[in-house]
Amino acid sequence: MRVLIHSNAPWINSGYGVQTALLAPRLRELGHTVAVSSITGLQGTATKWSGIDVYPSGQLAFSPDTLLEHAAAFRADVIITCMDFRMLRPAAPNLRGIRVLAWLPVDTFPLSAEDRAVLLESGARPVAMSRFGEFQIEHAGFASAVYAPHMVDRSVYQPPAGAAERKQLRADAGIPDDAFVIGICAANSDQLRKGFPEQFEAFRRFAGGRPDARLLVHSVMHTSHGVHLGQLAEDMEIADRVIFSDTYAQVAGFMDGPTMAGWYGCCDVLSLCSYGEGFGVPLIEAQACGVPVIATAGSAMTELSVKGWRVKATPFWNHTHRAWWTRPDVADIARCYKEAYRVMRSKMGPRRRVDAVEFAAEYDADTVVDRYWRPILDALVAEPFEATGDQQAVES
């Protein structure tokens, strides 16, 4: 089949870009002809990446204005979208003329009203990134939903080779060798979802009386739509304990996979206590590097933290999605930090690191493509194309 992936360009070091880079060459290895329709990362010209055609982004956010033209130019048999599917609404009615697999994040319960509407308009088949998302999509009436999780390249994301390498990684980052390091890896793109205030306050409570505690934050410190993280650290009186990743290196795309694996290697535990996650790639990347995780007991985070610690949460109504998120409890985050400190500094620590690595193996890129994407695409080859079947059932 001729498969067009509509997502971030594969050289973009973000969640969607990384997934594109993992999926595209592996689908080609299965015998498909693959191209990428960029939603960001390339403008004004087409190019090639690892022998794969990459088409430029359009003028609208998430490029609904160029998707159909790219599909026609490439003669696509199927489009796989890896993005917030609701952002394709301008193109949705015209997508019924082609097979579309909507590999979409679901971080609300029930399914976001906008996602449901665009799925109905487009006739796309939903591909859930998480079991949580699969349940919400099916509960919304889309019986054809299938599951394929996000994935990790375990040849890149792996634990430090030994104590000496781990010590050197910390020395290079300016972290004391005996520090207890909590990492946060999250995009700073809005004021709420990633739970920065809750986690910073929990760290303040945890770090009191523990001079060895450090908070390692991989996020752009200040963005136009996000939180001023440097100011937040000062307000929470933890600025002397927080180490931020270099903003320029992040914006310029210098934080590649090996660099991020080294970043995770500095951590004792990763904290991802968001209000909602469609998947939460850092949870898998961290565990592949032998770093246990602390995450909110909500959305996809629950299923990705089974070998770590889960934070109690309460429902939080999201007016934009017209559905529920889950708000992490500050006191319980602090409790999990204390418990992780106790465990990781005990004889149980090495075992927890091994458990994390073993859990992440289920999300290995080769495993995911063979176990999920191969049968999904094989089934499409065998099926007659019906653009509206499942959605007509929903509408009726």
Side-chain angles (χ1 to χ4, degrees), residues 153-238:
D153 184 351
R154 292 198 304 138
S155 70
V156 174
Y157 290 92
Q158 51 187 280
E165 182 179 350
R166 178 181 169 85
K167 184 176 182 178
Q168 187 61 53
L169 287 171
R170 288 193 167 195
D172 293 343
I175 302 170
D177 184 50
D178 62 348
F180 182 80
V181 180
I182 298 172
I184 296 177
C185 178
N188 186 14
S189 56
D190 66 59
Q191 294 281 324
L192 189 63
R193 185 167 71 91
K194 293 298 184 177
F196 284 112
E198 288 85 352
Q199 291 172 97
F200 277 33
E201 169 60 14
F203 179 80
R204 185 191 68 79
R205 298 183 188 185
F206 161 76
R210 293 184 177 87
D212 57 340
R214 296 291 186 277
L215 186 62
L216 193 61
V217 180
H218 179 71
S219 190
V220 176
M221 190 181 297
H222 187 205
T223 68
S224 58
H225 299 293
V227 180
H228 193 316
L229 296 176
Q231 185 179 77
L232 180 65
E234 292 179 1
D235 291 343
M236 298 291 182
E237 300 179 345
I238 59 172

Side-chain angles (χ1 to χ4, degrees), residues 36-87:
V36 174
S37 167
S38 303
I39 64 177
T40 188
L42 179 67
Q43 290 185 315
T45 187
T47 189
K48 284 185 179 290
W49 171 85
S50 297
I52 292 172
D53 288 329
V54 182
Y55 294 90
S57 59
Q59 298 185 50
L60 300 180
F62 293 86
S63 300
D65 52 326
T66 52
L67 173 57
L68 289 166
E69 285 76 5
H70 289 337
F74 178 61
R75 305 190 311 280
D77 297 308
V78 61
I79 297 171
I80 298 175
T81 65
C82 179
M83 53 168 287
D84 300 337
F85 193 68
R86 65 185 181 278
M87 301 304 294

Side-chain angles (χ1 to χ4, degrees), residues 261-286:
W263 183 89
Y264 287 117
C266 293
C267 299
D268 289 288
V269 68
L270 180 81
S271 178
L272 190 72
C273 300
S274 305
Y275 281 57
E277 290 287 347
F279 187 80
V281 170
L283 293 171
I284 296 303
E285 292 177 341

